[in-house]
Amino acid sequence: MANKIRYKTKITVIGAGQAGLSTAHHLKRRGLEAGRDFVVLDEAPSPGGAWQFRWPSLTLSTVNRIHDLPGMPFEDSLETDAKEVRANVAVPHYYDQYEKKFGLQVYRPIKVERVYWHNDRLHIDTSTALFSALGLVNATGTWQNPHLPEYPGAALFEGEQLHTKDFRTAEYFKGKHVVIVGAGISAIQLLDQISKVTTITWVTRRPPEFKEGPFDDEAGHRAVSMVEERVRNGLPPLSVVSVTGLPMSPTVIDMKKRGVLNRFPMFSEITKTGVKWPDGREEKADVILWNTGFKGALSHLDAVLPREEGGGIVMAGSLATMVAKEPRIHLVGYGPSASTIGANRAGGAAARELMRELGL
């Protein structure tokens, strides 16, 4: 530790995905200088946040795209007239162009190992250097913290257990029977792709709820407000799908026609060769693919985050980004801001409220 370089700044932003870049942009717009008054630290090897790690078949419509970062539309970064683009290429390119355009000076790859208080400053211990700051905006998202439920017998399973974040191509599963767990949007996407190349068994904890009609702004605001109410009361945020349901898309309609949406209730245990239900029925499997979501990647903040009894954090501020019991810490991309549009607005609110708290 003695050999690590030390940096002193006013605000540290951890993470350079949508929420982190939005925050950095708003800090700069409000008069702070990147690299001196605030620093942005990112664990990833290159620009793009978690998007650079997504599977190659995940595409974005150039019309129905990710939400624009403040001050630069996504379409300004596109170098093609194609109607669809690969997400893990187009979004990193966009973020790279954005960082350069606004001179955001992201330091990478730097992994934040722990944050702690010392002499009324937040000390950020990283893989390569030591930083200290008056305030902190955490924008680490969820990609680094996949949720894998514990089930009896999991250690006995002789096949593969994978998570959504491990998925690359459906072809990998050819000739294997795959038990696909989960009813979120990613689960449906992977269920669709894998079912076209091999046999599958689909299991979920609750019957999936498919919603007719478009997922409009009103539905979006309703979902966000429900999540916001939870985090303001110190409860862990729920998954988006548990609030919104699944859209009845053309893909889902096609899956119904193909007989793919034959859902089974959750199994009770894992065996050497597959899974088993409470009634004794068993299913052999080569792979169990857990599409069971992600949780906030916040372990580096354990020493400074005041947790409630149930593990949640009481959030405050105009968009619920401020840690109520530690107002010099903001969490963006957490709870109601864990979406591309929510992350943008949260970045602006966090920058404004933290600067006010610090008297900057």
Side-chain angles (χ1 to χ4, degrees), residues 68-81:
D68 293 336
L69 281 160
M72 179 180 165
F74 175 56
E75 62 186 19
D76 284 4
S77 70
L78 292 173
E79 297 176 337
T80 175
D81 294 327

Side-chain angles (χ1 to χ4, degrees), residues 86-327:
R86 261 180 60 176
N88 66 2
V89 174
V91 180
H93 178 68
Y94 174 42
Y95 286 6
D96 182 40
Q97 296 298 305
Y98 190 84
E99 290 176 18
K100 287 171 179 168
K101 178 174 180 176
F102 294 106
L104 297 181
Q105 278 190 322
V106 178
Y107 296 90
R108 62 166 61 88
I110 293 183
K111 179 178 173 58
V112 174
E113 292 166 346
R114 68 187 185 111
V115 178
Y116 56 94
W117 288 105
H118 181 64
N119 293 337
D120 205 35
R121 288 180 70 86
L122 285 153
H123 286 246
I124 299 101
D125 189 358
T126 80
S127 51
T128 56
L130 295 171
F131 296 82
S132 76
L134 297 169
L136 175 74
V137 180
N138 189 82
T140 46
T142 61
W143 187 256
Q144 297 301 328
N145 192 17
H147 173 55
L148 281 162
E150 290 183 17
Y151 274 83
L156 302 173
F157 185 55
E158 293 176 346
E160 273 188 292
Q161 293 192 65
L162 302 174
H163 187 271
T164 314
K165 71 175 293 186
D166 302 313
F167 180 83
R168 287 296 170 266
T169 66
E171 282 66 34
Y172 175 80
F173 300 94
K174 271 186 178 174
K176 301 174 183 179
H177 186 73
V178 186
V179 173
I180 297 176
V181 184
I185 290 171
S186 292
I188 296 299
Q189 288 176 347
L190 303 194
L191 182 67
D192 176 48
Q193 293 184 37
I194 295 169
S195 66
K196 290 174 179 174
V197 300
T198 195
T199 57
I200 57 98
T201 299
W202 182 33
V203 299
T204 71
R205 276 194 306 133
R206 290 184 298 269
E209 212 177 318
F210 292 101
K211 296 284 180 75
E212 299 281 355
F215 182 68
D216 54 20
D217 286 347
E218 185 185 342
H221 289 308
R222 194 164 58 245
V224 167
S225 66
M226 287 174 74
V227 178
E228 184 173 327
E229 185 181 355
R230 284 184 63 84
V231 298
R232 286 190 185 277
N233 287 301
L235 298 169
L238 289 170
S239 70
V240 174
V241 167
S242 67
V243 177
T244 63
L246 290 156
M248 183 61 79
S249 65
T251 299
V252 169
I253 293 167
D254 175 66
M255 290 167 76
K256 275 194 166 184
K257 287 178 184 172
R258 292 194 290 117
V260 174
L261 299 180
N262 182 22
R263 169 258 175 193
F264 291 89
M266 199 63 205
F267 49 79
S268 55
E269 64 179 291
I270 300 171
T271 67
K272 284 172 65 174
T273 57
V275 296
K276 189 174 182 179
W277 282 265
D279 63 5
R281 192 174 70 81
E282 293 190 47
E283 179 73 66
K284 289 194 173 181
D286 300 293
V287 182
I288 301 173
L289 179 58
W290 298 94
N291 297 281
T292 42
F294 298 79
K295 294 189 173 181
L298 303 173
S299 61
H300 55 289
L301 300 176
D302 282 349
V304 296
L305 273 188
R307 295 274 186 178
E308 300 306 297
E309 198 173 315
I313 306 154
V314 179
M315 303 301 293
S318 62
L319 293 178
T321 64
M322 180 194 296
V323 176
K325 296 176 182 176
E326 289 288 6

Side-chain angles (χ1 to χ4, degrees), residues 17-28:
Q18 186 101 11
L21 292 180
S22 174
T23 302
H25 174 85
H26 285 289
L27 289 173
K28 196 163 185 183

